[in-house]
Amino acid sequence: MREAYREQLDAVTGRLIGMTRKANEQMRWASTALLEAELALAEKVVAADPAINRDQLEIDEHVIELMATQNPVASDLRFATSALRITADVERMGDLTVHIAKIARMRYPDHAIPAELRSTFAAMGETAVRMVDKAGQVLRTHDLKVAAELARDDNEMDQLHRSLFLVLLDDDWSRGVEAAVDIALLGRYYERFADHTVEIAANVRYLVTGEIR
């Protein structure tokens, strides 16, 4: 009986990893749509997001059912708490990619990103994809060294985010208020996406060690 129970918990972990892969894919599509003004990719992100929402609901219901019908020990309860938090984080990450895609779609056929900021947003997209990759790896391996790397990666994202405001607040900014609002929102979406990967790592750390940050 307990062996079957452990297999079900492992299956939940597999589904959590699958959610991070979907968020990864949506971030790659959204970043390309933003940088290349590709309407089809922007629409693809919006259309794909309900799958992550369904995953969250199904996983949450399954975890609650497992905890209610089995005799969970302390580590099982930590697993349940972590899983419920992680599904919420990844669902929100999916939403953030949709926000990025919708700005790309709204400005189509123009580019939402001015030429002078394209390299910064390309770096933000690459950092975001790398971070969600690592989040999935931490879920799979419980490697706390990789979990710690995400905090350093988050610092990199924060620096990129701050660099946007140096441009926006410069007296030479000539793109107008509308473009400035787009840039500020987009920067926030990437920064928050990264924050959620750090939260995933923190929840895995709690699962493994029982320690709360």
Side-chain angles (χ1 to χ4, degrees):
M1 180 68 72
R2 295 298 295 181
E3 183 177 348
Y5 173 51
R6 297 309 308 175
E7 288 176 355
Q8 291 185 73
L9 295 181
D10 290 342
V12 169
T13 298
R15 292 204 64 184
L16 293 173
I17 295 168
M19 284 186 75
T20 66
R21 288 173 179 155
K22 290 176 182 177
N24 178 321
E25 193 168 49
Q26 287 184 211
M27 173 53 76
R28 288 189 288 106
W29 291 341
S31 292
T32 301
L34 183 68
L35 293 168
E36 306 299 334
E38 290 194 14
L39 181 61
L41 274 181
E43 297 286 9
K44 196 172 183 179
V45 174
V46 175
D49 192 55
I52 287 184
N53 299 339
R54 285 194 299 271
D55 284 344
Q56 181 191 17
L57 292 173
E58 291 171 4
I59 293 170
D60 287 357
E61 288 177 356
H62 188 43
V63 168
I64 292 168
E65 180 182 1
L66 283 174
M67 294 305 106
T69 58
Q70 303 294 329
N71 294 311
V73 296
S75 60
D76 296 336
L77 293 173
R78 289 204 304 271
F79 177 88
T81 300
S82 298
L84 295 174
R85 290 173 176 170
I86 289 167
T87 60
D89 280 315
V90 185
E91 189 276 334
R92 184 58 185 152
M93 289 161 71
D95 289 345
L96 291 163
T97 69
V98 170
H99 295 334
I100 294 168
K102 284 184 175 179
I103 289 181
R105 184 175 67 180
M106 180 171 60
R107 300 304 174 203
Y108 181 83
D110 296 324
H111 286 79
I113 304 300
E116 62 268 30
L117 289 175
R118 284 174 58 82
S119 62
T120 301
F121 274 98
M124 293 179 88
E126 291 167 2
T127 301
V129 167
R130 183 173 72 250
M131 292 181 75
V132 71
D133 272 344
K134 286 184 179 180
Q137 181 181 349
V138 171
L139 278 168
R140 186 175 65 254
T141 65
H142 293 180
D143 189 331
L144 298 186
K145 290 183 179 179
V146 177
E149 289 177 13
L150 278 165
R152 294 191 291 272
D153 293 336
D154 191 46
N155 288 335
E156 180 181 333
M157 182 67 86
D158 289 342
Q159 290 172 2
L160 290 166
H161 186 214
R162 285 193 293 271
S163 74
L164 296 176
F165 289 96
L166 295 177
V167 176
L168 294 177
L169 297 174
D170 192 287
D171 290 339
D172 292 333
W173 176 260
S174 60
R175 301 285 185 171
V177 173
E178 189 175 75
V181 171
D182 283 349
I183 296 303
L185 288 173
L186 287 164
R188 179 61 173 164
Y189 299 151
Y190 280 97
E191 188 265 341
R192 286 300 299 148
F193 186 97
D195 285 347
H196 284 293
T197 70
V198 175
E199 289 300 317
I200 291 170
N203 279 298
V204 173
R205 186 180 298 108
Y206 167 69
L207 169 62
V208 173
T209 69
E211 296 175 359
I212 299 174
R213 280 193 309 180

